[in-house]
Amino acid sequence: MAQQDPLIAQLIEAFRALPSIGQRSAQRMAYHLLQENRQAGLNLAKQLTAAMEGIHGCEVCRDFSSQPVCRICSDAARRQGQVCVVESPADCLAFEQTGVFHGRYFVLMGHLSPLDGVGPDELGLDLLQKQLASGEIEELIIATSSTLEGEATARFLVQMAGSAGVKTSRIAQGVPLGGELGFVDGMTLAHALSGRRPV
Ligand SMILES: [Zn+2]
């Protein structure tokens, strides 16, 4: 078999960076764009570059944002003192889609996982600590997942908020065990939020 053109091989390899994309799917995507839709390919390249270079963490909540402070954290109509702690930007999106939450978020970008080297610093908890200490947070709503790591993270957050004298609540169960919030339907999530209990 002749060697594949290196530029095509590199394109296929680049597609393999996407989750659950193997060699065959990557090949299909590369050939599709080259053969059928070069304009879409160019647009994809442009948007990828813009997003990868222009999206960083919000200085207040760590959610993805193209501005130093994201739209939610700079929205005066939101209750900035009510902070919902989630594991990922996808979780924020899930809450936003329910339309029932009017506070803001704090995005951990993971959960405590000592074996993987993920400790409080990696989750930005020093930043959250400052916000708790400054008195700007009235209620911390903990919406980490119901996995073992998510629960351990929740306990850690309860202690942190407790020593700062900030009241905490945990969203109600009904979110499937081990489920990621991003995949829970809006109704379930809205109920979990309204049924949150003090912890
Ligand atoms: Zn923000």
Side-chain angles (χ1 to χ4, degrees):
M1 191 178 106
Q3 283 252 309
Q4 199 170 30
D5 184 284
L7 206 48
I8 299 177
Q10 284 161 24
L11 177 61
I12 293 170
E13 193 51 37
F15 274 117
R16 294 196 59 182
L18 295 169
S20 38
I21 297 299
Q23 183 67 19
R24 281 175 68 93
S25 306
Q27 229 163 274
R28 208 176 312 130
M29 289 181 186
Y31 282 128
H32 169 79
L33 293 176
L34 286 169
Q35 204 174 325
E36 324 258 356
N37 209 341
R38 296 222 168 189
Q39 200 49 49
L42 286 169
N43 188 44
L44 179 64
K46 196 175 119 200
Q47 297 306 331
L48 270 176
T49 305
M52 294 306 127
E53 291 178 355
I55 295 182
H56 303 283
C58 165
E59 287 170 5
V60 180
C61 73
R62 291 170 40 101
D63 193 7
F64 291 143
S65 173
S66 59
Q67 302 300 316
V69 177
C70 77
R71 292 196 296 179
I72 294 175
C73 291
S74 45
D75 185 350
R78 311 272 306 216
R79 279 184 64 186
Q80 297 293 336
Q82 194 178 47
V83 178
C84 181
V85 184
V86 295
E87 292 184 10
S88 76
D91 297 337
C92 289
L93 194 61
F95 272 110
E96 285 303 290
Q97 282 164 350
T98 69
V100 298
F101 182 61
H102 307 293
R104 70 163 173 95
Y105 302 93
F106 189 87
V107 187
L108 301 172
M109 297 284 178
H111 44 233
L112 289 177
S113 185
L115 292 179
D116 303 313
V118 183
D121 288 351
E122 284 68 30
L123 303 180
L125 294 184
D126 46 344
L127 176 62
L128 183 63
Q129 179 74 62
K130 277 190 203 129
Q131 295 174 6
L132 287 165
S134 74
E136 66 196 83
I137 299 179
E138 300 148 26
E139 182 189 6
L140 200 68
I141 301 169
I142 301 169
T144 53
S145 66
S146 48
T147 58
L148 281 176
E149 294 91 345
E151 292 297 347
T153 309
R155 283 194 296 277
F156 192 90
L157 290 165
V158 169
Q159 280 188 343
M160 254 179 74
S163 36
V166 173
K167 72 169 174 175
T168 51
S169 55
R170 179 90 168 102
I171 61 165
Q173 297 306 324
V175 176
L177 195 70
E180 291 181 40
L181 287 179
F183 298 110
V184 176
D185 74 273
M187 190 73 96
T188 309
L189 196 53
H191 279 299
L193 183 66
S194 64
R196 66 183 183 275
R197 305 219 182 290
V199 282

